[in-house]
């Protein structure tokens, strides 16, 4: 073989070894943000008054369900992914409402409230983008007539 062909073959082999590996759920930025959000909620729970326990328990439940829905969305494809992302977004909006209420009653400091809202806004933005991407991929797989 000539030198050019050998260079092309070496380049092809190098590209095969550098192909992207599938990210695990824990490596997804949206999942990391959700788990950090849950950590902050638990940290708030430690310092919050006892009267706020029920609201904080609900926040932890929503945060856990948010993480679970994101993990499910990473594992499935198509309509199931969109449904899991819808559940995750609903939990994020519920968390935003709970955090707003806790901040209003003074159970959460301004800095913690700001951190929580920032994380929730990031999760919502990433979730909406991921959902739209999954929806577009689903539409692109339809035949020309639009019906399967």
């Amino acid at each position: 073989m000539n030198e050019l062909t050998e260079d092309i073959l070496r380049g092809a082999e190098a590209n095969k070894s550098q192909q992207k590996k599938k990210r695990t759920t824990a490596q997804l930025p949206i999942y990391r943000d959700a788990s950090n959000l849950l950590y902050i909620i638990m940290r708030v729970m430690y310092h919050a008054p006892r009267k706020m326990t029920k609201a904080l328990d609900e926040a932890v439940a929503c945060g856990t369900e948010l993480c679970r829905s994101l993990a499910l969305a990473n594992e499935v494809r198509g309509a199931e992914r969109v449904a899991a992302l819808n559940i995750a977004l609903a939990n994020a909006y519920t968390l935003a409402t709970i955090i707003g209420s806790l901040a209003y009653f003074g159970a959460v400091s301004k800095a913690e409230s700001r951190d929580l809202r920032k994380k929730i806004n990031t999760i919502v933005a990433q979730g909406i983008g991921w959902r739209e991407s999954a929806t577009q991929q689903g539409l692109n797989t339809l035949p020309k007539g639009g019906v399967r």
Side-chain angles (χ1 to χ4, degrees), residues 51-60 98 101-102:
K51 292 179 181 179
M52 301 297 165
T53 303
K54 189 163 186 161
L56 285 166
D57 285 343
E58 186 63 30
V60 169
I98 293 170
S101 299
L102 290 171

Side-chain angles (χ1 to χ4, degrees), residues 97-117:
T97 304
I98 293 170
I99 298 306
S101 299
L102 290 171
Y104 178 77
F105 289 113
V108 179
S109 70
K110 287 185 179 182
E112 288 171 331
S113 175
R114 186 180 58 245
D115 289 346
L116 289 167
R117 288 174 196 262

Side-chain angles (χ1 to χ4, degrees), residues 33 35 42 54 81 95 132:
D33 287 340
S35 61
M42 291 202 185
K54 189 163 186 161
R81 175 175 280 179
L95 271 172
E132 293 304 315

